[in-house]
mmCIF file of all heavy atoms in Angstrom:
data_model
loop_
_atom_site.group_PDB
_atom_site.id
_atom_site.type_symbol
_atom_site.label_atom_id
_atom_site.label_comp_id
_atom_site.label_asym_id
_atom_site.label_seq_id
_atom_site.Cartn_x
_atom_site.Cartn_y
_atom_site.Cartn_z
ATOM 1 N N GLN A 179 -0.709 22.478 8.352
ATOM 2 C CA GLN A 179 -1.644 23.573 8.631
ATOM 3 C C GLN A 179 -1.219 24.265 9.935
ATOM 4 O O GLN A 179 -1.922 24.222 10.935
ATOM 5 C CB GLN A 179 -3.065 23.017 8.756
ATOM 6 C CG GLN A 179 -3.544 22.265 7.556
ATOM 7 C CD GLN A 179 -3.938 23.190 6.433
ATOM 8 O OE1 GLN A 179 -4.467 24.268 6.668
ATOM 9 N NE2 GLN A 179 -3.683 22.775 5.213
ATOM 10 N N PHE A 180 -0.056 24.919 9.908
ATOM 11 C CA PHE A 180 0.551 25.444 11.124
ATOM 12 C C PHE A 180 -0.239 26.588 11.752
ATOM 13 O O PHE A 180 -0.372 26.649 12.970
ATOM 14 C CB PHE A 180 1.993 25.857 10.866
ATOM 15 C CG PHE A 180 2.824 24.731 10.323
ATOM 16 C CD1 PHE A 180 3.376 24.804 9.064
ATOM 17 C CD2 PHE A 180 3.016 23.580 11.062
ATOM 18 C CE1 PHE A 180 4.128 23.757 8.554
ATOM 19 C CE2 PHE A 180 3.758 22.520 10.567
ATOM 20 C CZ PHE A 180 4.310 22.616 9.304
ATOM 21 N N GLU A 181 -0.767 27.490 10.937
ATOM 22 C CA GLU A 181 -1.546 28.600 11.484
ATOM 23 C C GLU A 181 -2.824 28.081 12.137
ATOM 24 O O GLU A 181 -3.203 28.538 13.222
ATOM 25 C CB GLU A 181 -1.855 29.621 10.397
ATOM 26 C CG GLU A 181 -0.624 30.396 9.949
ATOM 27 C CD GLU A 181 -0.937 31.370 8.834
ATOM 28 O OE1 GLU A 181 -2.122 31.654 8.580
ATOM 29 O OE2 GLU A 181 0.020 31.856 8.219
ATOM 30 N N ALA A 182 -3.482 27.124 11.496
ATOM 31 C CA ALA A 182 -4.699 26.539 12.071
ATOM 32 C C ALA A 182 -4.372 25.787 13.360
ATOM 33 O O ALA A 182 -5.125 25.855 14.333
ATOM 34 C CB ALA A 182 -5.365 25.603 11.060
ATOM 35 N N ALA A 183 -3.235 25.094 13.384
ATOM 36 C CA ALA A 183 -2.822 24.366 14.581
ATOM 37 C C ALA A 183 -2.569 25.341 15.726
ATOM 38 O O ALA A 183 -3.012 25.114 16.855
ATOM 39 C CB ALA A 183 -1.567 23.544 14.306
ATOM 40 N N GLU A 184 -1.888 26.441 15.430
ATOM 41 C CA GLU A 184 -1.597 27.423 16.474
ATOM 42 C C GLU A 184 -2.878 28.058 17.004
ATOM 43 O O GLU A 184 -3.039 28.229 18.213
ATOM 44 C CB GLU A 184 -0.651 28.495 15.938
ATOM 45 C CG GLU A 184 -0.132 29.405 17.010
ATOM 46 C CD GLU A 184 1.040 30.255 16.547
ATOM 47 O OE1 GLU A 184 1.366 30.260 15.354
ATOM 48 O OE2 GLU A 184 1.631 30.919 17.417
ATOM 49 N N ARG A 185 -3.805 28.388 16.103
ATOM 50 C CA ARG A 185 -5.097 28.930 16.545
ATOM 51 C C ARG A 185 -5.824 27.927 17.431
ATOM 52 O O ARG A 185 -6.399 28.288 18.461
ATOM 53 C CB ARG A 185 -5.976 29.276 15.342
ATOM 54 C CG ARG A 185 -5.767 30.651 14.775
ATOM 55 C CD ARG A 185 -6.861 31.045 13.808
ATOM 56 N NE ARG A 185 -7.149 30.047 12.793
ATOM 57 C CZ ARG A 185 -6.507 29.911 11.643
ATOM 58 N NH1 ARG A 185 -5.516 30.723 11.345
ATOM 59 N NH2 ARG A 185 -6.846 28.971 10.797
ATOM 60 N N HIS A 186 -5.790 26.659 17.038
ATOM 61 C CA HIS A 186 -6.469 25.620 17.807
ATOM 62 C C HIS A 186 -5.853 25.478 19.203
ATOM 63 O O HIS A 186 -6.569 25.324 20.193
ATOM 64 C CB HIS A 186 -6.424 24.281 17.052
ATOM 65 C CG HIS A 186 -7.450 23.323 17.509
ATOM 66 N ND1 HIS A 186 -8.755 23.391 17.104
ATOM 67 C CD2 HIS A 186 -7.382 22.295 18.386
ATOM 68 C CE1 HIS A 186 -9.444 22.427 17.700
ATOM 69 N NE2 HIS A 186 -8.626 21.746 18.477
ATOM 70 N N ILE A 187 -4.539 25.556 19.290
ATOM 71 C CA ILE A 187 -3.858 25.476 20.590
ATOM 72 C C ILE A 187 -4.253 26.676 21.460
ATOM 73 O O ILE A 187 -4.552 26.518 22.649
ATOM 74 C CB ILE A 187 -2.327 25.409 20.401
ATOM 75 C CG1 ILE A 187 -1.940 24.115 19.680
ATOM 76 C CG2 ILE A 187 -1.621 25.504 21.754
ATOM 77 C CD1 ILE A 187 -0.506 24.102 19.176
ATOM 78 N N ASP A 188 -4.261 27.867 20.860
ATOM 79 C CA ASP A 188 -4.646 29.064 21.611
ATOM 80 C C ASP A 188 -6.089 28.959 22.107
ATOM 81 O O ASP A 188 -6.397 29.296 23.253
ATOM 82 C CB ASP A 188 -4.479 30.322 20.757
ATOM 83 C CG ASP A 188 -3.026 30.650 20.470
ATOM 84 O OD1 ASP A 188 -2.139 30.128 21.180
ATOM 85 O OD2 ASP A 188 -2.777 31.436 19.530
ATOM 86 N N GLU A 189 -6.975 28.484 21.234
ATOM 87 C CA GLU A 189 -8.375 28.299 21.618
ATOM 88 C C GLU A 189 -8.507 27.245 22.715
ATOM 89 O O GLU A 189 -9.358 27.363 23.599
ATOM 90 C CB GLU A 189 -9.212 27.916 20.402
ATOM 91 C CG GLU A 189 -9.372 29.054 19.410
ATOM 92 C CD GLU A 189 -9.966 28.610 18.079
ATOM 93 O OE1 GLU A 189 -10.351 27.425 17.943
ATOM 94 O OE2 GLU A 189 -10.043 29.457 17.176
ATOM 95 N N MET A 190 -7.656 26.242 22.654
ATOM 96 C CA MET A 190 -7.658 25.196 23.675
ATOM 97 C C MET A 190 -7.365 25.793 25.051
ATOM 98 O O MET A 190 -8.043 25.480 26.037
ATOM 99 C CB MET A 190 -6.613 24.141 23.303
ATOM 100 C CG MET A 190 -6.484 22.983 24.234
ATOM 101 S SD MET A 190 -5.242 21.848 23.547
ATOM 102 C CE MET A 190 -4.589 21.185 25.053
ATOM 103 N N LEU A 191 -6.378 26.674 25.114
ATOM 104 C CA LEU A 191 -6.044 27.329 26.386
ATOM 105 C C LEU A 191 -7.203 28.184 26.891
ATOM 106 O O LEU A 191 -7.532 28.168 28.085
ATOM 107 C CB LEU A 191 -4.797 28.198 26.238
ATOM 108 C CG LEU A 191 -3.467 27.510 26.422
ATOM 109 C CD1 LEU A 191 -2.328 28.447 26.068
ATOM 110 C CD2 LEU A 191 -3.315 26.986 27.827
ATOM 111 N N LEU A 192 -7.821 28.936 25.991
ATOM 112 C CA LEU A 192 -8.948 29.777 26.388
ATOM 113 C C LEU A 192 -10.131 28.933 26.855
ATOM 114 O O LEU A 192 -10.804 29.273 27.825
ATOM 115 C CB LEU A 192 -9.376 30.673 25.220
ATOM 116 C CG LEU A 192 -8.392 31.768 24.822
ATOM 117 C CD1 LEU A 192 -8.852 32.452 23.539
ATOM 118 C CD2 LEU A 192 -8.233 32.778 25.945
ATOM 119 N N LYS A 193 -10.355 27.842 26.164
ATOM 120 C CA LYS A 193 -11.505 26.977 26.451
ATOM 121 C C LYS A 193 -11.336 26.205 27.759
ATOM 122 O O LYS A 193 -12.261 26.096 28.555
ATOM 123 C CB LYS A 193 -11.674 26.004 25.287
ATOM 124 C CG LYS A 193 -12.820 25.056 25.398
ATOM 125 C CD LYS A 193 -12.854 24.214 24.119
ATOM 126 C CE LYS A 193 -13.941 23.195 24.118
ATOM 127 N NZ LYS A 193 -13.910 22.409 22.876
ATOM 128 N N TRP A 194 -10.144 25.649 27.990
ATOM 129 C CA TRP A 194 -9.935 24.740 29.110
ATOM 130 C C TRP A 194 -9.189 25.354 30.285
ATOM 131 O O TRP A 194 -9.080 24.730 31.350
ATOM 132 C CB TRP A 194 -9.198 23.486 28.636
ATOM 133 C CG TRP A 194 -9.957 22.724 27.613
ATOM 134 C CD1 TRP A 194 -9.673 22.659 26.272
ATOM 135 C CD2 TRP A 194 -11.130 21.941 27.797
ATOM 136 N NE1 TRP A 194 -10.591 21.886 25.630
ATOM 137 C CE2 TRP A 194 -11.502 21.414 26.543
ATOM 138 C CE3 TRP A 194 -11.911 21.619 28.909
ATOM 139 C CZ2 TRP A 194 -12.622 20.602 26.364
ATOM 140 C CZ3 TRP A 194 -13.025 20.805 28.734
ATOM 141 C CH2 TRP A 194 -13.373 20.307 27.477
ATOM 142 N N GLY A 195 -8.635 26.544 30.120
ATOM 143 C CA GLY A 195 -7.913 27.163 31.228
ATOM 144 C C GLY A 195 -6.488 26.638 31.331
ATOM 145 O O GLY A 195 -5.980 25.980 30.427
ATOM 146 N N ALA A 196 -5.857 26.925 32.444
ATOM 147 C CA ALA A 196 -4.438 26.612 32.605
ATOM 148 C C ALA A 196 -4.208 25.524 33.653
ATOM 149 O O ALA A 196 -3.281 25.610 34.448
ATOM 150 C CB ALA A 196 -3.671 27.871 32.966
ATOM 151 N N SER A 197 -5.008 24.488 33.608
ATOM 152 C CA SER A 197 -4.767 23.368 34.522
ATOM 153 C C SER A 197 -3.458 22.692 34.111
ATOM 154 O O SER A 197 -3.014 22.833 32.966
ATOM 155 C CB SER A 197 -5.919 22.364 34.458
ATOM 156 O OG SER A 197 -5.889 21.649 33.242
ATOM 157 N N PRO A 198 -2.831 21.967 35.019
ATOM 158 C CA PRO A 198 -1.566 21.308 34.665
ATOM 159 C C PRO A 198 -1.689 20.398 33.433
ATOM 160 O O PRO A 198 -0.784 20.378 32.592
ATOM 161 C CB PRO A 198 -1.228 20.492 35.917
ATOM 162 C CG PRO A 198 -1.891 21.232 37.030
ATOM 163 C CD PRO A 198 -3.154 21.798 36.446
ATOM 164 N N GLU A 199 -2.787 19.675 33.289
ATOM 165 C CA GLU A 199 -2.970 18.798 32.127
ATOM 166 C C GLU A 199 -3.043 19.603 30.835
ATOM 167 O O GLU A 199 -2.409 19.260 29.835
ATOM 168 C CB GLU A 199 -4.251 17.970 32.279
ATOM 169 C CG GLU A 199 -4.521 17.106 31.061
ATOM 170 C CD GLU A 199 -5.916 16.495 31.033
ATOM 171 O OE1 GLU A 199 -6.767 16.884 31.843
ATOM 172 O OE2 GLU A 199 -6.130 15.638 30.171
ATOM 173 N N VAL A 200 -3.795 20.698 30.864
ATOM 174 C CA VAL A 200 -3.936 21.529 29.665
ATOM 175 C C VAL A 200 -2.608 22.179 29.297
ATOM 176 O O VAL A 200 -2.231 22.206 28.127
ATOM 177 C CB VAL A 200 -5.054 22.584 29.851
ATOM 178 C CG1 VAL A 200 -5.082 23.556 28.680
ATOM 179 C CG2 VAL A 200 -6.405 21.906 30.018
ATOM 180 N N VAL A 201 -1.878 22.666 30.274
ATOM 181 C CA VAL A 201 -0.567 23.278 30.016
ATOM 182 C C VAL A 201 0.376 22.238 29.407
ATOM 183 O O VAL A 201 1.081 22.517 28.430
ATOM 184 C CB VAL A 201 0.018 23.894 31.304
ATOM 185 C CG1 VAL A 201 1.473 24.304 31.106
ATOM 186 C CG2 VAL A 201 -0.825 25.077 31.756
ATOM 187 N N ARG A 202 0.371 21.022 29.953
ATOM 188 C CA ARG A 202 1.236 19.952 29.429
ATOM 189 C C ARG A 202 0.860 19.618 27.986
ATOM 190 O O ARG A 202 1.727 19.528 27.107
ATOM 191 C CB ARG A 202 1.115 18.700 30.306
ATOM 192 C CG ARG A 202 1.997 17.537 29.867
ATOM 193 C CD ARG A 202 1.806 16.310 30.748
ATOM 194 N NE ARG A 202 0.434 15.824 30.807
ATOM 195 C CZ ARG A 202 -0.161 15.116 29.842
ATOM 196 N NH1 ARG A 202 0.500 14.819 28.746
ATOM 197 N NH2 ARG A 202 -1.406 14.703 29.973
ATOM 198 N N LEU A 203 -0.438 19.473 27.714
ATOM 199 C CA LEU A 203 -0.883 19.153 26.351
ATOM 200 C C LEU A 203 -0.586 20.301 25.385
ATOM 201 O O LEU A 203 -0.210 20.067 24.234
ATOM 202 C CB LEU A 203 -2.376 18.822 26.344
ATOM 203 C CG LEU A 203 -2.773 17.513 27.010
ATOM 204 C CD1 LEU A 203 -4.291 17.407 27.131
ATOM 205 C CD2 LEU A 203 -2.217 16.324 26.249
ATOM 206 N N THR A 204 -0.731 21.516 25.860
ATOM 207 C CA THR A 204 -0.441 22.682 25.026
ATOM 208 C C THR A 204 1.042 22.730 24.669
ATOM 209 O O THR A 204 1.404 22.962 23.509
ATOM 210 C CB THR A 204 -0.847 23.970 25.766
ATOM 211 O OG1 THR A 204 -2.248 23.907 26.055
ATOM 212 C CG2 THR A 204 -0.573 25.207 24.940
ATOM 213 N N GLU A 205 1.903 22.495 25.659
ATOM 214 C CA GLU A 205 3.347 22.477 25.397
ATOM 215 C C GLU A 205 3.700 21.374 24.402
ATOM 216 O O GLU A 205 4.493 21.595 23.478
ATOM 217 C CB GLU A 205 4.117 22.293 26.698
ATOM 218 C CG GLU A 205 4.090 23.515 27.585
ATOM 219 C CD GLU A 205 4.687 23.279 28.962
ATOM 220 O OE1 GLU A 205 5.029 22.122 29.302
ATOM 221 O OE2 GLU A 205 4.818 24.263 29.711
ATOM 222 N N GLN A 206 3.096 20.196 24.571
ATOM 223 C CA GLN A 206 3.353 19.097 23.633
ATOM 224 C C GLN A 206 2.886 19.463 22.229
ATOM 225 O O GLN A 206 3.565 19.161 21.239
ATOM 226 C CB GLN A 206 2.649 17.819 24.096
ATOM 227 C CG GLN A 206 3.268 17.168 25.290
ATOM 228 C CD GLN A 206 2.491 15.948 25.756
ATOM 229 O OE1 GLN A 206 1.392 15.662 25.283
ATOM 230 N NE2 GLN A 206 3.056 15.224 26.706
ATOM 231 N N ALA A 207 1.731 20.115 22.127
ATOM 232 C CA ALA A 207 1.209 20.510 20.816
ATOM 233 C C ALA A 207 2.131 21.517 20.142
ATOM 234 O O ALA A 207 2.384 21.437 18.935
ATOM 235 C CB ALA A 207 -0.201 21.074 20.960
ATOM 236 N N TYR A 208 2.657 22.479 20.909
ATOM 237 C CA TYR A 208 3.598 23.452 20.336
ATOM 238 C C TYR A 208 4.888 22.775 19.895
ATOM 239 O O TYR A 208 5.439 23.103 18.838
ATOM 240 C CB TYR A 208 3.908 24.581 21.330
ATOM 241 C CG TYR A 208 2.927 25.725 21.258
ATOM 242 C CD1 TYR A 208 2.115 26.022 22.332
ATOM 243 C CD2 TYR A 208 2.799 26.505 20.109
ATOM 244 C CE1 TYR A 208 1.204 27.071 22.276
ATOM 245 C CE2 TYR A 208 1.901 27.545 20.036
ATOM 246 C CZ TYR A 208 1.102 27.824 21.127
ATOM 247 O OH TYR A 208 0.206 28.860 21.063
ATOM 248 N N ILE A 209 5.380 21.823 20.672
ATOM 249 C CA ILE A 209 6.593 21.085 20.282
ATOM 250 C C ILE A 209 6.353 20.319 18.989
ATOM 251 O O ILE A 209 7.182 20.353 18.076
ATOM 252 C CB ILE A 209 7.044 20.145 21.422
ATOM 253 C CG1 ILE A 209 7.585 20.964 22.593
ATOM 254 C CG2 ILE A 209 8.092 19.145 20.933
ATOM 255 C CD1 ILE A 209 7.792 20.169 23.874
ATOM 256 N N THR A 210 5.208 19.654 18.890
ATOM 257 C CA THR A 210 4.866 18.930 17.662
ATOM 258 C C THR A 210 4.810 19.886 16.485
ATOM 259 O O THR A 210 5.358 19.602 15.416
ATOM 260 C CB THR A 210 3.509 18.210 17.825
ATOM 261 O OG1 THR A 210 3.610 17.271 18.883
ATOM 262 C CG2 THR A 210 3.103 17.510 16.537
ATOM 263 N N MET A 211 4.160 21.034 16.678
ATOM 264 C CA MET A 211 4.020 22.004 15.598
ATOM 265 C C MET A 211 5.390 22.519 15.147
ATOM 266 O O MET A 211 5.682 22.575 13.957
ATOM 267 C CB MET A 211 3.144 23.168 16.045
ATOM 268 C CG MET A 211 2.867 24.173 14.949
ATOM 269 S SD MET A 211 1.800 25.517 15.480
ATOM 270 C CE MET A 211 2.820 26.303 16.712
ATOM 271 N N MET A 212 6.261 22.859 16.114
ATOM 272 C CA MET A 212 7.589 23.365 15.756
ATOM 273 C C MET A 212 8.419 22.290 15.061
ATOM 274 O O MET A 212 9.144 22.582 14.109
ATOM 275 C CB MET A 212 8.304 23.893 16.994
ATOM 276 C CG MET A 212 7.675 25.174 17.530
ATOM 277 S SD MET A 212 8.572 25.951 18.907
ATOM 278 C CE MET A 212 8.623 24.655 20.116
ATOM 279 N N THR A 213 8.305 21.050 15.509
ATOM 280 C CA THR A 213 9.045 19.949 14.890
ATOM 281 C C THR A 213 8.572 19.726 13.455
ATOM 282 O O THR A 213 9.387 19.583 12.548
ATOM 283 C CB THR A 213 8.878 18.661 15.719
ATOM 284 O OG1 THR A 213 9.342 18.905 17.045
ATOM 285 C CG2 THR A 213 9.650 17.507 15.104
ATOM 286 N N CYS A 214 7.266 19.714 13.265
ATOM 287 C CA CYS A 214 6.718 19.529 11.911
ATOM 288 C C CYS A 214 7.121 20.682 11.004
ATOM 289 O O CYS A 214 7.486 20.470 9.850
ATOM 290 C CB CYS A 214 5.197 19.404 11.967
ATOM 291 S SG CYS A 214 4.605 17.867 12.685
ATOM 292 N N ARG A 215 7.074 21.891 11.541
ATOM 293 C CA ARG A 215 7.458 23.068 10.749
ATOM 294 C C ARG A 215 8.935 22.993 10.380
ATOM 295 O O ARG A 215 9.318 23.269 9.247
ATOM 296 C CB ARG A 215 7.148 24.345 11.521
ATOM 297 C CG ARG A 215 7.431 25.603 10.711
ATOM 298 C CD ARG A 215 7.002 26.834 11.463
ATOM 299 N NE ARG A 215 5.573 27.011 11.270
ATOM 300 C CZ ARG A 215 4.824 27.801 12.021
ATOM 301 N NH1 ARG A 215 5.341 28.457 13.022
ATOM 302 N NH2 ARG A 215 3.541 27.935 11.772
#
Side-chain angles (χ1 to χ4, degrees):
Q179 303 283 324
F180 303 116
E181 290 178 14
E184 189 167 8
R185 273 193 311 275
H186 200 80
I187 295 167
D188 291 342
E189 290 169 5
M190 181 178 149
L191 274 173
L192 291 172
K193 181 178 179 181
W194 299 107
S197 72
E199 177 192 11
V200 173
V201 170
R202 181 182 57 77
L203 290 171
T204 301
E205 288 172 354
Q206 288 177 351
Y208 273 116
I209 290 168
T210 299
M211 184 179 64
M212 290 186 303
T213 302
C214 289
R215 184 175 278 164

